[in-house]
Amino acid sequence: MATDRLAEVLTRYEAVIGLEFHTEITATKTKMFCGCPVAFGGEANSRVCPTCMGLPGALPVPNQECVDWAILAGLAAGCKIAPLSDFTRKNYFYPDMAVNYQLSQYQPPFCYDGRIDIEIIEGADERLDRETAENVTMTEDGYIAAIRVTRLHLEEDTGKMIHIGGTDGRIGGADYSLADFNRSGTGLMELVTEPDIRTPEEARAFARKLRQLWLTLGVSDCNMEEGSMRADGNVSIRPRGATGLGTKTELKNMNSFKALHDGIAFEIVRQADLLDAGGKVVQETRHWEPTEKVTTAMRTKEMAEDYRYFPDPDTAPFDLSAEYVEGIRARLPELPDAKKERFMETYKLSAHDAGLLAADVGLTKFYEEAVQIAGLDHAKSVSNTMLNDLSAHLNATEETLETIKIAPAHIAELVELVDSGEISSKQAKEVFAAMLEAGQMPKVIARERGLKQVSDTGVIEAAVDSVLAAHPDKVEAYRGGKVGLIGFLVGQVMRETQGQANPSLVNEILTQKLK
């Protein structure tokens, strides 16, 4: 596999990677230039009209809400906003675009010259020495790379081609093709980065960070499997130490974070093999094949002049006043980086835990509601329970925070029981599982099952004395230097008390009696 060879290749070559993300604005009820509804799936060609079908005489009317969302997204990405902008016709022929041009933006786009920071931690795949890079700040755990955003512009999405016949659902080898225009005309944000990314891991980190931003704003559901967020990668390589740029290829069909990582990794290794063999990289568009885990050639890469851009005569230019932009800026919510810092300061969480909670809008809301109920003293315990037990359950099942039977109040009450010593951490696991199954409150479950942690020192001392008397050989061996036997003795005390003794008290009393 290419990922197995990547580390070695990157010791000899430096990858230069730029990304493009197309994200559907699913927050609006209607499309970009007509009143057709925005939704996924459904009967083919059931959400279309003369405008999104490109019929003669139909004129586009820009959706102001889509423009607002694009400006908000640009501000979240640290972009400047162009006061004057317009829509441009991007001319090319493909059957999923009925009018044979796409309404997009060229110069100037609505948003430009932004920046998004990504964090790479120690141990991440293909981590290279980045200490000398101008856009990198080293941290205790790894480094933070500042990735420049070239532009964020607004355009309309195309339809979808369905290729019938063949073996892989692609046009090559298909018997015939069908066109579904339900998606055609949906508002689409395209964000383009500068070639500041150097490894597949950084590309994956950027994609995750961008998805976090868009979900925090609420601009899109960012469902990569359904195509509402799609990533393209521009990849070239150059010998280590060189400053010029190599010939780039564009990668498509990377509809998951793993596909993005693996597709770029394969392309880096493929280009290195070509150069090592004395060949040349051809500028072209390539398709990632997730089953075979290879890229294949699609077509020669188009240049900007191939699209014959010119201002759309059917839509008026936009004059975005400073007052309008500031009004949109006022809608910005707390973004993930700021939220992470607040969680570290307010709840005393580690950078790792704060980052995980801040990255997910649903987890953030659930966590803060649970802490509000339990109190700040339990903030760390709430975080541990959510990031360990709750996240493990969600990852192992198809359930979500919206479908599970527990609420923040359940988590708050559970950590209160553990932190107060009423139940042990082991018993808490049993209570948590029962909560998920029946939706009962933790105190009810603990009472019905007779779960209670014993913290009575007299009871624990009696159990300890009984165990020590039953295992004199282990006591003698411990005192002779085999201190690891303390674990065995603790286990026997827990067995004696049917698992209800407070483990910390058991350890403390055992240690005293073994002196």
Side-chain angles (χ1 to χ4, degrees):
M1 292 178 60
T3 51
D4 297 331
R5 297 182 50 215
L6 181 64
E8 184 278 324
V9 167
L10 289 179
T11 62
R12 297 182 291 113
Y13 291 99
E14 181 178 49
V16 180
I17 304 163
L19 299 176
E20 300 175 10
F21 289 89
H22 294 82
T23 308
E24 289 183 347
I25 302 177
T26 59
T28 61
K29 295 181 179 179
T30 58
K31 296 181 180 180
M32 183 63 234
F33 294 106
C34 67
C36 293
V38 171
F40 175 75
E43 183 182 353
N45 297 311
S46 61
R47 295 190 298 274
V48 297
C49 69
T51 299
C52 52
M53 288 295 292
L55 298 182
L59 295 176
V61 179
N63 183 338
Q64 180 63 54
E65 192 175 358
C66 283
V67 177
D68 294 347
W69 279 112
I71 301 302
L72 187 71
L75 292 171
C79 290
K80 300 173 183 176
I81 307 301
L84 296 174
S85 189
D86 59 12
F87 283 104
T88 301
R89 291 189 180 183
K90 181 180 182 181
N91 297 273
Y92 65 95
F93 173 79
Y94 201 70
D96 63 5
M97 196 169 61
V99 77
N100 290 335
Y101 61 80
Q102 181 185 33
L103 283 181
S104 182
Q105 292 189 291
Y106 189 47
Q107 296 295 350
F110 281 134
C111 316
Y112 65 98
D113 194 13
R115 167 182 158 174
I116 294 176
D117 291 348
I118 60 170
E119 185 173 10
I120 304 296
I121 61 172
E122 287 279 7
D125 292 345
E126 308 97 37
R127 181 181 183 270
L128 298 176
D129 185 2
R130 296 275 269 143
E131 294 184 12
T132 59
E134 293 182 358
N135 68 324
V136 167
T137 302
M138 304 305 296
T139 67
E140 291 183 2
D141 300 321
Y143 63 93
I144 295 173
I147 310 302
R148 292 171 295 165
V149 174
T150 310
R151 59 190 286 134
L152 184 152
H153 65 258
L154 190 57
E155 59 190 20
E156 59 179 338
D157 207 348
T158 61
K160 182 178 181 181
M161 297 299 295
I162 302 169
H163 306 297
I164 309 299
T167 58
D168 57 3
R170 294 180 61 191
I171 191 170
D175 297 326
Y176 60 93
S177 300
L178 301 175
D180 180 4
F181 289 95
N182 278 344
R183 191 178 71 181
S184 179
T186 298
L188 194 68
M189 303 185 306
E190 179 175 356
L191 181 142
V192 181
T193 77
E194 290 291 313
D196 293 337
I197 296 167
R198 293 293 175 265
T199 70
E201 184 61 32
E202 289 184 9
R204 176 160 53 187
F206 185 91
R208 284 176 171 159
K209 184 64 170 289
L210 189 66
R211 187 172 185 272
Q212 291 171 15
L213 281 176
W214 292 171
L215 289 174
T216 299
L217 297 181
V219 62
S220 176
D221 60 25
C222 297
N223 191 319
M224 297 184 76
E225 290 185 356
E226 294 180 357
S228 55
M229 183 175 181
R230 311 191 289 272
D232 298 337
N234 294 292
V235 181
S236 68
I237 63 172
R238 60 191 176 192
R240 283 271 163 198
T243 57
L245 295 176
T247 301
K248 69 178 180 179
T249 58
E250 182 181 29
L251 298 186
K252 292 188 176 293
N253 191 42
M254 298 179 292
N255 61 353
S256 69
F257 297 136
K258 177 173 173 53
L260 179 67
H261 175 282
D262 292 353
I264 291 175
F266 178 89
E267 189 58 20
I268 292 170
V269 173
R270 186 191 72 86
Q271 291 186 20
D273 287 345
L274 271 176
L275 297 179
D276 288 345
K280 293 183 178 180
V281 177
V282 177
Q283 182 166 326
E284 61 185 353
T285 299
R286 299 182 66 85
H287 185 274
W288 169 244
E289 301 283 2
T291 304
E292 292 80 10
K293 298 190 180 301
V294 298
T295 64
T296 58
M298 289 177 63
R299 60 179 180 269
T300 302
K301 183 72 176 77
E302 299 91 346
M303 305 297 287
E305 54 268 24
D306 295 327
Y307 293 121
R308 294 175 291 121
Y309 288 104
F310 65 87
D312 177 52
D314 293 334
T315 56
F318 282 78
D319 185 354
L320 305 181
S321 67
E323 292 76 16
Y324 164 78
V325 173
E326 291 309 308
I328 297 296
R329 193 189 303 275
R331 290 172 44 186
L332 280 171
E334 183 181 37
L335 298 178
D337 285 349
K339 191 176 298 180
K340 174 184 174 181
E341 293 298 322
R342 179 169 65 83
F343 280 13
M344 292 171 62
E345 181 177 349
T346 303
Y347 303 126
K348 310 305 178 187
L349 301 182
S350 67
H352 176 265
D353 290 355
L356 290 176
L357 289 170
D360 187 292
V361 178
L363 278 180
T364 292
K365 185 174 184 293
F366 197 103
Y367 173 73
E368 297 216 86
E369 289 181 7
V371 172
Q372 187 174 14
I373 297 169
L376 279 175
D377 291 343
H378 301 287
K380 179 62 177 175
S381 297
V382 171
S383 171
N384 289 339
T385 301
M386 287 188 60
L387 293 179
N388 295 320
D389 302 311
L390 182 57
S391 291
H393 173 75
L394 295 178
N395 291 333
T397 67
E398 295 184 357
E399 288 196 275
T400 66
L401 290 174
E402 289 72 35
T403 61
I404 57 175
K405 295 179 180 179
I406 63 175
H410 289 80
I411 300 296
E413 189 169 285
L414 180 62
V415 300
E416 288 172 357
L417 288 175
V418 176
D419 288 353
S420 66
E422 291 186 49
I423 64 173
S424 67
S425 57
K426 182 179 180 180
Q427 291 169 334
K429 301 286 186 184
E430 182 179 342
V431 172
F432 184 82
M435 281 172 18
L436 289 170
E437 183 177 345
Q440 289 179 297
M441 293 300 290
K443 287 183 179 179
V444 174
I445 296 170
R447 183 174 65 249
E448 290 181 348
R449 301 194 176 201
L451 298 175
K452 185 177 181 181
Q453 181 168 255
V454 175
S455 296
D456 186 320
T457 56
V459 172
I460 295 176
E461 278 195 37
V464 169
D465 290 340
S466 175
V467 168
L468 295 180
H471 299 281
D473 55 330
K474 298 292 192 297
V475 173
E476 183 178 354
Y478 174 86
R479 288 171 174 163
K482 294 186 177 181
V483 294
L485 286 171
I486 190 72
F488 168 80
L489 296 172
V490 168
Q492 294 301 306
V493 174
M494 296 304 293
R495 181 178 180 182
E496 182 85 8
T497 60
Q498 297 181 329
Q500 293 186 330
N502 187 318
S504 61
L505 283 178
V506 171
N507 269 285
E508 182 181 332
I509 293 171
L510 261 175
T511 301
Q512 290 175 350
K513 288 183 176 289
L514 287 169
K515 287 182 179 178

